[in-house]
Amino acid sequence: MSAPRHPSKPATLHDVAREAGVSLITASRALSKPSLVSDQTIARVKQAVEATGYLPNLLAGGLKSRRSRLIAGILPALSVAQFLPTFQSLTSALETEGYQLILGQSSYDPAREERLINAMISRRPDGLFMTGLVHNESARQRLAAAGIPVVESWDFTDRPIDMLVGFSHVKVGAAIAGFFLSKGWKHIGVATGDDHRARLRCEAFQSTLGREVPTVWVPAPSGVARGREALRRLLAIAPGLDAVYCSSDQMAQGVIVEAQQQGIRVPEQLAVCGFGDAEHAAHLSPSITTVGVEGARIGELAAQMIMDRCEGKQIDRPVVDLGFRIIERDSTRR
Amino acid sequence: MSAPRHPSKPATLHDVAREAGVSLITASRALSKPSLVSDQTIARVKQAVEATGYLPNLLAGGLKSRRSRLIAGILPALSVAQFLPTFQSLTSALETEGYQLILGQSSYDPAREERLINAMISRRPDGLFMTGLVHNESARQRLAAAGIPVVESWDFTDRPIDMLVGFSHVKVGAAIAGFFLSKGWKHIGVATGDDHRARLRCEAFQSTLGREVPTVWVPAPSGVARGREALRRLLAIAPGLDAVYCSSDQMAQGVIVEAQQQGIRVPEQLAVCGFGDAEHAAHLSPSITTVGVEGARIGELAAQMIMDRCEGKQIDRPVVDLGFRIIERDSTRR
DNA sequence: CTGTTAGCGCATTCAG
DNA sequence: CTGAATGCGCTAACAG
């Protein structure tokens, strides 16, 4: 059995000040604005910190200073590999400056997303990072009203709530279609997740092709198993298929495995293109043609923009289009 | 250019109370302890909340109530796929009860881990979730002194700081060795990450085999590219290799790809076993033999244990060994 | 069921 | 360079 523990109350700045023989505020300054305090006093205070085992209470400090040094970060789900580099670099960049990330998962559900945004605002974060755009109007207004820096990402619009770092999925879809057209492939299919951004790419892909092509939708987040399933379903409706665009590299991998399993040679008989340039894409056999996106850079830039704004700086380019590039590898070279 | 925004100050509970014509505390209770307030008053307060656009300030509430409803969660890096199901379920379970997770990345660095733990404690979280055990003695004491529920995970010891949900990597290593021995393979090699838990498995693997075997270490986190590199290095030092244990399924996949590339048939000429039962492991060709671990369950259970303790409940089983199982698939069937 | 009082731990005034 | 007073927004404790 494990019982609740009732430890002695943690030391407060008050205890430190008493131990050091200085006033509360001097202790406070010694720790957070040392330039205002004599070296001697700083030394005494630091010693008192050691002696008492003091750790500051950032909640209390934040209440008065209105700076929580907390940044909210919302993504659909941690299991979506695409966003990991973004959140990894975002979290790292924040940590080095003493900020921490509060994580929220919206599960691709707009209602949950709105509840989550409200819950986050209630924590008075100094900023908020959103994967995707906020479409819900009342959530947009709440965020605007909160008056904190907000970075939307992984998508594009000229009118973000506040700031944006991303790229256009419409352009991605069109570029992939252009690539497919340049190859002269005739029997094209699509295996795609059903989330908003994948839909944008898919629609642009088809409208650039100038026609509808056989398409299989799978629930996001799409994985290897979904990719295998998708190819089976695609072949059932389009037996002569010779090229597939997949909404993620995980799906693409599933499609490739399923093809090989069925004795269909990739790329000779079936060309496959993914999206996201996942870690493994370059190292499989065949290596996967995909769309490279600067996921880590998104997190880095967003962290910088949010923190700069927290320092009161102006942001020269509040809307950044990082673009993308098609990375041709073996899965489409024949 | 994007300038700092200066919005009208957000509504406080004070504003709500005035709008509703009740006292501050009544408004507070109407929102957080409705059973103590008449339905009529609740209705008036809720209306006032709508009218003012009020969102509670959980920082302020937490300061007084000593309940931040914040849980700290520390992992080596978000890019380590193994821990994703754990953090996904942890975050979800917490969110449904109004708790949020503060994320920290320790980068497999003990010094960073300690700084991170201190930074987290400064936020006065109601609980802390650790991936792995806390080995640093001063960090252990800090955590014990903080008096909050702490769950260590993804490893095993009889003497955790507070609570534990995990399994023994020593037993895993021994079990894999037993599996390899039962197969009668003679020319065994190891491709492993250099992190603490992978080391434990590797040592137990070799000591159960009763001898040292050719081993290639790669820096954690290990990925597909590292797996390919590892097999090349292994073959250089052990040309007759016929079975490899890999410390992750990503590594295993890399080993398999590299083998196929070199014309080595898996499993006929080279048996490959991974660890973690990643999503893709079952769906590749060949499917990957691996060690299944209840990653999502770890997060779920940990969330429950932490939240129960926050409610003052006793935890019947503060140390839970979830075990593991070897999942034999095609990559070792010959 | 409702209200009054007090204070969580700290940082921001203002004053020496 | 140091200090005293004040209050951030909210809830616990006690009273009606």
Side-chain angles (χ1 to χ4, degrees), chain A:
Chain A
M1 296 257 297
S2 168
R5 296 173 293 169
H6 294 288
S8 58
K9 284 178 63 176
T12 72
L13 193 54
H14 191 90
D15 303 323
V16 173
R18 191 154 27 81
E19 176 83 16
V22 298
S23 76
L24 189 65
I25 184 58
T26 301
S28 167
R29 286 199 278 245
L31 297 175
S32 47
K33 299 181 180 172
S35 62
L36 298 180
V37 179
S38 73
D39 291 352
Q40 213 186 82
T41 310
I42 291 178
R44 287 231 306 285
V45 170
K46 290 206 164 158
Q47 211 172 323
V49 166
E50 292 297 325
T52 54
Y54 171 74
L55 279 181
N57 181 332
L58 262 34
L59 251 53
L63 184 58
K64 182 65 188 174
S65 68
R66 301 168 167 292
R67 301 272 323 259
S68 63
R69 298 188 85 82
L70 243 26
I71 306 294
I74 296 179
L75 82 177
L78 278 173
S79 55
V80 185
Q82 268 169 31
F83 303 131
L84 257 31
T86 300
F87 272 72
Q88 164 129 22
S89 62
L90 178 71
T91 308
S92 298
L94 293 174
E95 272 171 10
T96 60
E97 302 295 325
Y99 289 80
Q100 250 86 42
L101 187 88
I102 321 182
L103 191 72
Q105 298 185 108
S106 65
S107 309
Y108 288 111
D109 173 350
R112 256 184 98 144
E113 178 176 298
E114 187 179 2
R115 281 203 303 279
L116 207 46
I117 288 174
N118 285 346
M120 291 302 185
I121 293 178
S122 282
R123 307 244 174 229
R124 297 299 186 266
D126 291 344
L128 183 137
F129 176 84
M130 251 327 281
T131 306
L133 306 177
V134 179
H135 291 103
N136 178 292
E137 191 50 41
S138 71
R140 290 182 71 86
Q141 294 192 352
R142 278 252 198 254
L143 282 173
I148 56 174
V150 173
V151 174
E152 292 167 283
S153 73
W154 275 91
D155 204 340
F156 198 83
T157 170
D158 289 325
R159 303 180 153 281
I161 296 174
D162 182 19
M163 299 181 282
L164 178 140
V165 189
F167 59 91
S168 160
H169 292 268
V170 170
K171 287 187 189 168
V172 169
I176 300 172
F179 175 71
F180 273 46
L181 286 170
S182 77
K183 292 288 189 178
W185 297 322
K186 297 290 177 229
H187 304 288
I188 295 172
V190 175
T192 181
D194 64 356
D195 60 283
H196 177 68
R197 286 173 293 277
R199 275 177 192 283
L200 287 179
R201 294 195 297 275
C202 179
E203 283 162 19
F205 179 77
Q206 307 213 18
S207 84
T208 303
L209 285 183
R211 61 197 165 92
E212 288 189 11
V213 299
T215 299
V216 167
W217 299 90
V218 306
S222 54
V224 174
R226 293 293 187 189
R228 295 191 64 163
E229 170 200 333
L231 182 61
R232 286 194 296 272
R233 287 167 52 196
L234 261 183
L235 289 173
I237 57 178
L241 204 67
D242 72 347
V244 188
Y245 154 64
C246 305
S247 66
S248 76
D249 287 351
Q250 288 72 30
M251 282 263 272
Q253 191 185 347
V255 164
I256 290 172
V257 170
E258 182 65 25
Q260 289 172 337
Q261 195 89 111
Q262 296 200 15
I264 299 168
R265 292 197 311 281
V266 177
E268 293 79 1
Q269 295 172 274
L270 185 70
V272 178
C273 173
F275 171 82
D277 194 24
E279 189 260 340
H280 62 267
H283 304 290
L284 299 183
S285 175
S287 56
I288 302 178
T289 293
T290 187
V291 179
V293 158
E294 298 187 72
R297 184 90 186 107
I298 291 178
E300 241 169 64
L301 259 182
Q304 206 51 59
M305 288 160 80
I306 290 176
M307 292 188 300
D308 278 354
R309 274 278 290 280
C310 288
E311 308 295 330
K313 293 185 197 153
Q314 308 266 322
I315 307 298
D316 292 338
R317 295 178 54 212
V319 176
V320 180
D321 184 346
L322 248 27
F324 59 89
R325 65 205 170 92
I326 291 183
I327 302 173
E328 181 161 22
R329 300 207 181 98
D330 295 339
S331 69
T332 55
R333 277 200 269 254
R334 66 189 185 205

Side-chain angles (χ1 to χ4, degrees), chain B residues 47-123:
Chain B
Q47 211 172 323
V49 167
E50 292 296 326
T52 54
Y54 171 74
L55 280 182
N57 181 333
L58 262 35
L59 251 53
L63 185 58
K64 181 67 188 173
S65 68
R66 299 164 170 293
R67 299 272 323 258
S68 63
R69 299 188 85 82
L70 242 28
I71 306 294
I74 295 179
L75 81 178
L78 278 173
S79 54
V80 186
Q82 270 169 30
F83 304 130
L84 259 29
T86 300
F87 272 72
Q88 163 130 23
S89 62
L90 179 70
T91 308
S92 298
L94 292 175
E95 271 171 9
T96 60
E97 302 295 326
Y99 289 81
Q100 250 87 41
L101 188 87
I102 321 182
L103 192 71
Q105 297 186 108
S106 65
S107 309
Y108 288 111
D109 174 350
R112 253 184 101 142
E113 179 177 298
E114 186 178 2
R115 281 203 303 279
L116 206 47
I117 287 174
N118 285 347
M120 291 302 185
I121 292 178
S122 281
R123 307 241 174 236

Side-chain angles (χ1 to χ4, degrees), chain B residues 40 45 47 77 86 88 98 117 149 193 200 226 232 247 259 276 297:
Chain B
Q40 213 185 84
V45 170
Q47 211 172 323
T86 300
Q88 163 130 23
I117 287 174
L200 287 179
R226 293 294 186 186
R232 285 193 297 271
S247 67
R297 185 89 185 108

Side-chain angles (χ1 to χ4, degrees), chain B residues 19 46 89 99 121 182 186 192 222 243-244 265 271 292 302-303 307:
Chain B
E19 176 83 17
K46 290 207 164 160
S89 62
Y99 289 81
I121 292 178
S182 76
K186 297 292 178 226
T192 181
S222 54
V244 188
R265 291 197 311 281
M307 293 189 299

